Amino acid sequence: MTEGIPDASLVLESLTKVFDEKARTPVRAVDGVSLSIARGELITLLGPSGCGKTTTLRIIAGFEFPTSGRILLDGRDISQVPPNKRETGMVFQSYALFPHLSVFENVAYGLQLQKRSTAEIKDAVDVVLHLMNLVGMEQRMPHQLSGGQQQRVALARALVVKPKLLLFDEPLSNLDAKLRVQMRTEIRHLQQRLGITGVYVTHDQTEAMTLSDRIVVMNKGRVEQVGTPTEIYQRPASVFVADFIGRANFVESRAATVQAECAMVRVLGQMLHLPCPEGVRAGNEVYAVLRPEAVRLSEPREGLPQGQVRQATYLGSQVEYEVEVGDQMLTVVDYEPWSGHVFAEGAQVAISFRHDSVCLLPQAANGV
Ligand SMILES: Nc1ncnc2c1ncn2[C@@H]1O[C@H](COP(=O)(O)OP(=O)(O)OP(=O)(O)O)[C@@H](O)[C@H]1O
Ligand SMILES: [Mg+2]
């Protein structure tokens, strides 16, 4: 099995899907999405509800045809190939098991369609049931399984036909929080062990961060940014991404000078020399993005900007603060409340922050 799964590369070229084209208000569900996914890579489409994740996945699977653009699997244009000929497997949020078939029959289904021999089917099903920890449950019916077990069966059913590409549409959303955490780690291990190429859709950023080699952040049918979890979090390419992934303070600032792709900006009273986004000129307004955990509070001290704690919430492993600094409200999270002082509401505090954690974004029309 491990050697048996063919891995493939996937390329999306300017994929666009317009629903209700003739209607007065056509819906551009997917709008010029271009993407290249390497062999053995798992990428996640992440974005808010309605941003076009499922539609993109359904186009890749062949359940929808693009209005324009192409899909290449291993270099072959499959845009017009019917779904059952695409060699892709799909796992859905609803599991979509056949209710009247046993676990064995559900998993065997795809192989039976391929008219494989009984012995061959039994062997292949045994291997994936073992892989998915479902040995001993072969004869159970779907309603006799927990949600987690049903999702394992769905995954086994997708894997057994050795698809070139595995597609996941929010497969864990129906599971409880603890199981979700366990399953996402399992899926990641399995995907890495088998070298599966996959596209995974979710609106849960922790899931995306845990599972993905790279994340594609989508907004209104378009790709906002493609990058590793670290790149997306530490170097967001737009206000939308910075706001959607984790929490962020957007400190209003102005580029004093711009030279060699760097700008001098004043951030909370300190002059900083920071990488500057394209198109920003001296005098332009920018946001300095400051993650809450990059900000430190301490006793008031000369040379550091001061603020007042407006709200302090002790959460055990962390303390969350809302701090008023001039006319700006800052969210600050202290993940080491042991080490220092926990400040009370109303306290005067000094503000410092890691300079290398700050990134600049233009203040564009899509403001926060
Ligand atoms: N068959 C359809 N006909 C018309 N509009 C559609 C159709 N399918 C999806 N849409 C619209 O396309 C847009 C994108 O939908 P899509 O299901 O891809 O979003 P999503 O990112 O998967 O959202 P969610 O997180 O809620 O699942 C939405 O505005 C949706 O209403
Ligand atoms: Mg969806």
Side-chain angles (χ1 to χ4, degrees):
M1 183 84 195
T2 311
E3 311 80 47
I5 289 235
D7 49 1
S9 63
L10 178 74
V11 174
L12 308 182
E13 279 180 2
S14 307
L15 267 196
T16 295
K17 178 71 186 179
V18 183
F19 287 112
D20 306 328
E21 258 184 295
K22 306 238 155 44
R24 214 171 331 142
T25 49
V27 181
R28 286 185 93 78
V30 180
D31 195 359
V33 168
S34 293
L35 208 56
S36 194
I37 300 158
R39 283 168 191 281
E41 185 179 35
L42 187 88
I43 68 129
T44 297
L45 307 182
L46 176 67
S49 186
C51 72
K53 306 179 296 288
T54 295
T55 307
T56 307
L57 205 69
R58 287 173 58 81
I59 295 174
I60 299 170
F63 301 135
E64 299 281 358
F65 290 101
T67 309
S68 61
R70 297 199 307 164
I71 310 148
L72 306 173
L73 187 60
D74 273 347
R76 183 170 80 103
D77 185 351
I78 57 163
S79 313
Q80 301 305 320
V81 174
N84 56 341
K85 297 260 157 42
R86 288 199 181 187
E87 300 175 84
T88 55
M90 189 142 168
V91 185
F92 301 91
Q93 179 177 349
S94 59
Y95 321 138
L97 298 178
F98 304 117
H100 56 289
L101 298 183
S102 67
V103 167
F104 184 93
E105 291 162 335
N106 260 285
V107 177
Y109 185 79
L111 297 173
Q112 269 157 357
L113 283 187
Q114 295 177 355
K115 307 253 183 300
R116 305 284 191 83
S117 75
T118 312
E120 218 182 334
I121 292 176
K122 171 139 192 1
D123 282 352
V125 173
D126 280 352
V127 170
V128 285
L129 289 182
H130 194 261
L131 203 62
M132 294 311 304
N133 255 328
L134 287 166
V135 175
M137 300 193 187
E138 293 82 347
Q139 298 318 316
R140 290 222 210 154
M141 301 303 280
H143 74 269
Q144 296 171 313
L145 300 173
S146 70
Q149 289 161 344
Q150 289 185 49
Q151 196 51 293
R152 278 171 211 275
V153 176
L155 199 52
R157 187 179 60 178
L159 281 173
V160 81
V161 294
K162 298 180 179 170
K164 280 189 169 177
L165 185 67
L166 255 190
L167 306 172
F168 303 84
D169 192 358
E170 311 231 14
L172 307 183
S173 332
N174 283 347
L175 304 178
D176 67 49
K178 209 166 171 189
L179 201 54
R180 218 156 48 216
V181 170
Q182 186 192 332
M183 279 292 281
R184 74 182 183 216
T185 315
E186 276 185 40
I187 290 180
R188 180 57 166 161
H189 285 157
L190 195 72
Q191 179 267 334
Q192 287 182 320
R193 216 169 96 206
L194 303 181
I196 294 167
T197 310
V199 182
Y200 191 103
V201 161
T202 181
H203 59 257
D204 178 331
Q205 53 165 296
T206 318
E207 206 167 291
M209 293 251 184
T210 318
L211 275 164
S212 321
D213 292 302
R214 286 186 303 157
I215 296 173
V216 179
V217 183
M218 290 183 69
N219 179 25
K220 296 182 184 153
R222 293 176 162 273
V223 172
E224 287 269 337
Q225 188 173 3
V226 184
T228 63
T230 317
E231 285 164 355
I232 296 270
Y233 187 77
Q234 294 186 353
R235 292 283 165 250
S238 65
V239 170
F240 177 85
V241 175
D243 198 33
F244 189 74
I245 309 287
R247 288 190 287 174
N249 294 297
F250 294 91
V251 180
E252 292 193 14
S253 186
R254 189 184 295 276
T257 58
V258 178
Q259 212 170 35
E261 293 166 12
C262 280
M264 290 297 290
V265 284
R266 185 177 294 281
V267 180
L268 299 177
Q270 315 220 11
M271 271 319 255
L272 305 182
H273 188 241
L274 296 169
C276 183
E278 246 175 73
V280 170
R281 311 256 169 278
N284 286 171
E285 291 180 328
V286 291
Y287 287 119
V289 180
L290 260 174
R291 295 293 187 186
E293 70 278 10
V295 185
R296 289 228 172 276
L297 304 183
S298 55
E299 297 293 343
R301 158 158 53 115
E302 213 159 295
L304 286 182
Q306 276 200 28
Q308 186 174 34
V309 175
R310 287 289 173 204
Q311 201 182 323
T313 313
Y314 180 73
L315 297 169
S317 62
Q318 73 215 57
V319 186
E320 300 195 0
Y321 297 101
E322 291 299 318
V323 183
E324 196 175 340
V325 189
D327 54 4
Q328 173 97 36
M329 235 2 164
L330 278 188
T331 301
V332 179
V333 180
D334 179 0
Y335 284 102
E336 288 179 283
W338 311 103
S339 61
H341 196 75
V342 175
F343 294 96
E345 281 167 17
Q348 286 292 327
V349 287
I351 316 283
S352 55
F353 54 93
R354 293 182 56 109
H355 294 181
D356 58 358
S357 72
V358 183
C359 79
L360 295 183
L361 291 173
Q363 286 195 30
N366 63 338
V368 244

